[in-house]
Amino acid sequence: MPVRVVETIAELEGLETSWRQLSQSEPASIFSSFDYVRLAWQHFHQPGDRLFIPVLSDAGGEVTAIAPFCVRPGRSRGIPHRCVQFIAEWEGDRPIIPCRTGLEAAWREIVSFLARKRRDWDSIELAEQPVEGPEVRGWS
């Protein structure tokens, strides 16, 4: 499944139509809506944060899932690191990934993509995700 990364505000704005369509599918949450994520990024991101939004598409190029992530610089025991997080995880309910496919399939593709892009980040903190995985089948 093709994956591209949105890294600029212009690219984020270009996702609006696709994101709104996905937000009408299940699962949906106001906290993963286009408007909420865009406003959270505009008003709460810190200097040094960067957009890192994997966008999954089907073979025809139609967007099937969006992972509203960013990479935040931080320190752990004095050692600098870059952490993948949900953009708005600290301002709302449990973050989710808007998707047209099942959550488990979307997460599987995203985790695989993150593994391939390992040079772009050092750690991942996905707040409030279920311990048993996206569809209660466990994390792979």
Side-chain angles (χ1 to χ4, degrees):
M1 182 174 292
V3 180
R4 68 181 170 99
V5 178
V6 166
E7 299 177 293
T8 68
I9 287 291
E11 291 173 309
L12 173 63
E13 295 289 342
L15 280 177
E16 182 173 2
T17 300
S18 296
W19 200 316
R20 289 185 190 286
Q21 289 171 345
L22 288 178
S23 293
Q24 294 173 4
S25 306
E26 288 296 323
S29 166
I30 186 70
F31 301 108
S32 61
S33 69
F34 175 80
D35 293 324
Y36 189 85
V37 171
R38 177 179 55 185
L39 287 171
W41 177 257
Q42 289 173 340
H43 296 287
F44 298 111
H45 81 276
Q46 300 295 313
D49 290 356
R50 66 181 173 87
L51 291 171
F52 187 74
I53 304 173
V55 178
L56 285 63
S57 301
D58 62 18
E62 188 173 340
V63 174
T64 59
I66 300 171
F69 296 155
C70 67
V71 175
R72 291 200 166 98
R75 289 191 168 279
S76 178
R77 301 176 209 247
I79 300 170
H81 70 280
R82 301 158 301 166
C83 184
V84 174
Q85 297 177 313
F86 281 100
I87 290 172
E89 71 182 20
W90 29 257
E91 293 297 326
D93 199 1
R94 175 178 286 175
I96 62 168
I97 295 172
C99 64
R100 191 164 38 98
T101 59
L103 268 178
E104 187 172 341
W107 270 113
R108 195 171 30 254
E109 290 294 329
I110 290 163
V111 167
S112 175
F113 169 78
L114 289 172
R116 291 190 309 270
K117 291 293 192 176
R118 186 70 174 94
R119 293 180 185 197
D120 294 340
W121 54 271
D122 302 306
S123 64
I124 300 175
E125 292 180 14
L126 300 176
E128 297 187 36
Q129 298 306 298
V131 173
E132 64 278 0
E135 293 186 347
V136 195
R137 295 185 190 149
W139 292 93
S140 55

